[in-house]
Amino acid sequence: MNQKDLDDYIFLKIVAYDSLSKCISILRKYTSASMGEIKKAIESNDFVYSSEHISHPGVKKLAKCYDELTAAGATVEIYELGMLCSREIIGNLIESHAQTEREVDEDIERELAEDDE
């Protein structure tokens, strides 16, 4: 994986699990990868899921996947900019995206109101 990919994406990696089949089942809801591909990624300690930083729906989906995996007994690591980070960072990113969306909506509404005057 090149540095650009590491800079543009957030990744999940499963480092331990209670049930491999539960992890695969959860990941199948979030990715089009085959069960064999998911199993291989987990067993070889590769990234199992990713989302672009700039994709608000994608980051929300990644957080949901993380939450489901951890609830199923998996130990999941999150990598941002190629470094290990916390679930809190993902929550902050989601809130930042939501704030930006609200600001854009407010700007559009303000411009529309000015055009109507």
Side-chain angles (χ1 to χ4, degrees):
M1 182 159 301
N2 64 43
Q3 187 62 42
K4 181 174 178 5
D5 290 337
L6 292 176
D7 291 346
D8 292 343
Y9 286 83
I10 302 167
F11 299 92
L12 298 182
K13 182 187 288 189
I14 297 174
V15 295
Y17 49 86
D18 292 340
S19 169
L20 179 60
S21 62
K22 282 184 184 177
C23 292
I24 292 170
S25 177
I26 291 167
L27 286 163
R28 289 281 291 153
K29 295 188 294 186
Y30 294 94
T31 179
S32 62
S34 71
M35 289 187 291
E37 291 170 322
I38 294 169
K39 181 180 184 224
K40 182 179 177 184
I42 293 169
E43 291 177 339
S44 62
N45 204 31
D46 286 337
F47 298 125
V48 294
Y49 189 72
S50 65
S51 172
E52 287 184 284
H53 280 99
I54 60 171
S55 171
H56 184 63
V59 175
K60 287 172 64 174
K61 195 172 164 183
L62 181 132
K64 187 174 179 187
C65 181
Y66 173 91
D67 293 342
E68 285 188 43
L69 288 166
T70 56
T75 302
V76 183
E77 293 178 340
I78 302 170
Y79 288 84
E80 180 185 36
L81 301 173
M83 297 180 292
L84 189 61
C85 70
S86 69
R87 171 65 173 82
E88 182 181 7
I89 297 294
I90 303 309
N92 292 344
L93 185 56
I94 290 168
E95 181 54 37
S96 174
H97 285 167
Q99 178 65 30
T100 299
E101 285 180 359
R102 285 190 296 270
E103 290 172 3
V104 168
D105 288 345
E106 290 169 3
D107 289 346
I108 290 170
E109 289 296 323
R110 187 175 47 254
E111 288 178 19
L112 289 173
E114 290 172 2
D115 288 344
D116 289 340
E117 293 175 0

